[in-house]
Amino acid sequence: MHHRISQRARAATAAIAIATLALTACSTSTGSGSDDASDGGSIDVVTRWASGSPEAAVQKRVFDAFTAETGIKLNVTEGLENIDDQVETAVAAGKSPDLVIVNLFDKTLGWLDAGVTVAADQYVEDWGLADTLKPDALKAWRVGGTDDGELQGLPFSGFSWPVWYNTDLLTSAGVDEIPQTTDDLIAAAAKLRSAGIGPLVVGGSDWTGQKLFYQIAQSFTDAAAMKTVMQKGGYCSTDSVMQGIELFTELRDGGVFVDNAAGLNSDDMYAQYYSQKAAIMSAGSWAYAGAVDAGTGVEKVTTLGGFPLPGGAAFDKPTAFQDFTGVGFMITKEGAQPGHIEKVRQLIEALYTEANVGDFVQTTSLLPSVTGDFTAFAANPLLAQSLKLDQSVSIAVLPDVWIGSASDPIIQVLTSAYGSSSAQQICQGLDDATASAS
């Protein structure tokens, strides 16, 4: 087994073995991957970008132009929240798509081991993408996140995940500078509360709370040690992680988070920040468009930065997340077959053209995984800030790939953490959640 979370690969294999249903669109398509001289043939694509999203709008433009130019028909199925289960079910039913456009998360991390998808290393070389894709983006998609791991797919959508500061609200509360230390943050929260302004808003009951917790919890820990704890547990027995968990409870008890944070979700978080009822939030680049769409002008008074540091921190600058484990292109075994792979290649190359990447940057504010200067496409002022973010922040370890299938039980533990759990209760809950997912 070459995957670092082999137990999840086994789970994926088991799921494939017992599944009986097929994806609707894929099951009804005919002639998948076949060569048809009259119309160019077809391939089946399952995509994370569902109708109604900005990404889906760009995707449609690219797909329509591709079919018009090549004659290759794309049988497109929109993935649901359980897109990983959908694909596994389709594979089990003998209706595998050729290409899956999906995040690198949860069960998709086991697809290479389970034989759902094929390694993309050779395609990067053969299709001339080796010098086009950013090294960090390729590393993020390699097994184990290492330079020598097999490439699980082709990265496309990166993201920045900074802390947003509403400088108008901070100033009105008497906070003249963006907090750089956690002591500054606690003091700023007190002033904001006195002014009737919510301090840091977070969805304590969902993934947004989970990510912010981990950003804080690793304040005193180097990346390698944090990845080990995320993957294998040991929260309670790792002193530097316990320092971070205790820092989290100190910030919580110091009034940094808005009231009832444990009962909020991501929608509540965006609503409070966009409506300028709260002054600070941690949110990814996918939210930039929403800030503008809110129509409150919040994007004009927002400065992006990092999360403040405590004394003795392991980082030299406030922290933010940035990664390329957003959406990428995973080629299935079916898609790698003769008669299919050449069409897949043509579609992949179309998606990576500068014009199409630029369209995604301009429309969806994604951080591109390809080299080049895309600032001309950054019409959103938050995206323009974001493209320069790595100059002012340290990049923290995003937990997704490392905690894997423990994600949901960990969210339950952390919901209580945003309530009143002690540091010891939190670390024990995280260790138990990690063990239960092994």
Side-chain angles (χ1 to χ4, degrees):
M1 301 288 274
H2 46 226
H3 202 286
R4 59 186 166 73
I5 51 172
S6 57
Q7 70 276 15
R8 307 220 354 256
R10 290 194 295 273
T13 305
I16 292 168
I18 63 174
T20 57
L21 301 176
L23 288 168
T24 301
C26 291
S27 64
T28 57
S29 65
T30 58
S32 173
S34 63
D35 288 313
D36 185 326
S38 63
D39 63 7
S42 66
I43 53 174
D44 295 336
V45 179
V46 177
T47 178
R48 183 73 169 178
W49 292 321
S51 296
S53 68
E55 292 83 358
V58 185
Q59 175 182 255
K60 186 176 187 310
R61 288 196 286 272
V62 175
F63 284 1
D64 288 349
F66 173 78
T67 296
E69 180 178 343
T70 65
I72 299 172
K73 180 183 177 184
L74 302 178
N75 300 316
V76 179
T77 297
E78 292 186 353
L80 306 176
E81 275 301 309
N82 60 340
I83 183 173
D84 46 352
D85 290 333
Q86 280 183 275
V87 171
E88 292 181 2
T89 300
V91 171
K95 300 291 185 180
S96 173
D98 298 295
L99 182 70
V100 186
I101 301 176
V102 68
N103 299 68
L104 189 62
F105 80 117
D106 207 336
K107 290 180 180 176
T108 66
L109 289 159
W111 282 359
L112 187 57
D113 267 351
V116 176
T117 57
V118 298
D121 303 78
Q122 193 59 49
Y123 301 126
V124 168
E125 297 296 329
D126 293 347
W127 299 349
L129 296 171
D131 295 329
T132 300
L133 292 167
K134 294 177 180 176
D136 286 348
L138 287 170
K139 184 177 179 179
W141 275 72
R142 292 190 181 283
V143 173
T146 62
D147 290 328
D148 57 354
E150 283 188 293
L151 192 61
Q152 301 173 84
L154 301 168
F156 186 76
S157 173
F159 57 85
S160 295
W161 199 324
V163 179
W164 303 37
Y165 295 95
N166 185 320
T167 53
D168 269 7
L169 292 182
L170 289 173
T171 300
S172 67
V175 181
D176 298 327
E177 296 182 355
I178 290 175
Q180 296 296 305
T181 70
T182 48
D183 287 342
D184 292 343
L185 182 60
I186 292 173
K191 290 183 178 180
L192 288 163
R193 286 180 175 276
S194 294
I197 300 168
L200 194 161
V201 62
V202 59
S205 68
D206 69 8
W207 53 276
T208 58
Q210 181 206 62
K211 301 303 182 293
L212 182 62
F213 168 85
Y214 275 104
Q215 192 170 352
I216 297 168
Q218 64 187 281
S219 294
F220 300 97
T221 312
D222 66 77
M226 195 67 217
K227 290 174 182 175
T228 298
V229 170
M230 289 174 177
Q231 185 180 0
K232 300 179 179 178
Y235 292 86
C236 292
S237 58
T238 306
D239 290 344
S240 59
V241 175
M242 279 305 297
Q243 277 187 276
I245 294 175
E246 288 165 356
L247 172 65
F248 173 84
T249 59
E250 178 185 343
L251 295 172
R252 179 197 64 194
D253 298 340
V256 165
F257 310 129
V258 297
D259 294 340
N260 191 35
L264 303 181
N265 59 28
S266 55
D267 290 339
D268 301 318
M269 181 185 77
Y270 295 131
Q272 287 198 32
Y273 188 84
Y274 291 163
S275 63
Q276 306 201 50
K277 293 179 180 176
I280 308 169
M281 74 169 177
S282 173
S285 47
W286 53 86
Y288 297 161
V292 174
D293 293 344
T296 61
V298 69
E299 77 280 5
K300 300 175 184 175
V301 297
T302 293
T303 295
L304 302 179
F307 194 87
L309 297 177
F315 300 91
D316 58 3
K317 292 181 285 190
T319 62
F321 292 128
Q322 177 174 291
D323 212 334
F324 293 93
T325 53
V327 166
F329 309 129
M330 302 185 83
I331 301 168
T332 66
K333 270 194 170 179
E334 185 74 7
Q337 296 301 309
H340 297 237
I341 191 62
E342 178 60 19
K343 299 180 183 67
V344 171
R345 177 191 68 78
Q346 292 181 67
L347 179 59
I348 294 292
E349 290 182 349
L351 285 159
Y352 279 123
T353 63
E354 182 178 3
N356 286 335
V357 172
D359 195 356
F360 274 100
V361 171
Q362 185 167 17
T363 306
T364 72
S365 297
L366 68 75
L367 185 67
S369 64
V370 299
T371 57
D373 184 0
F374 291 92
T375 53
F377 295 97
N380 187 310
L382 295 173
L383 178 59
Q385 286 192 55
S386 188
L387 293 174
K388 304 174 183 175
L389 188 66
D390 55 2
Q391 299 172 16
S392 59
V393 301
S394 296
I395 303 301
V397 177
L398 189 70
D400 292 14
V401 171
W402 305 101
I403 63 176
S405 59
S407 178
D408 286 345
I410 282 176
I411 286 176
Q412 294 179 26
V413 173
L414 296 181
T415 297
S416 297
Y418 281 96
S420 59
S421 296
S422 68
Q424 187 62 39
Q425 289 172 321
I426 296 169
C427 79
Q428 190 59 59
L430 294 173
D431 278 336
D432 291 345
T434 303
S436 69
S438 300

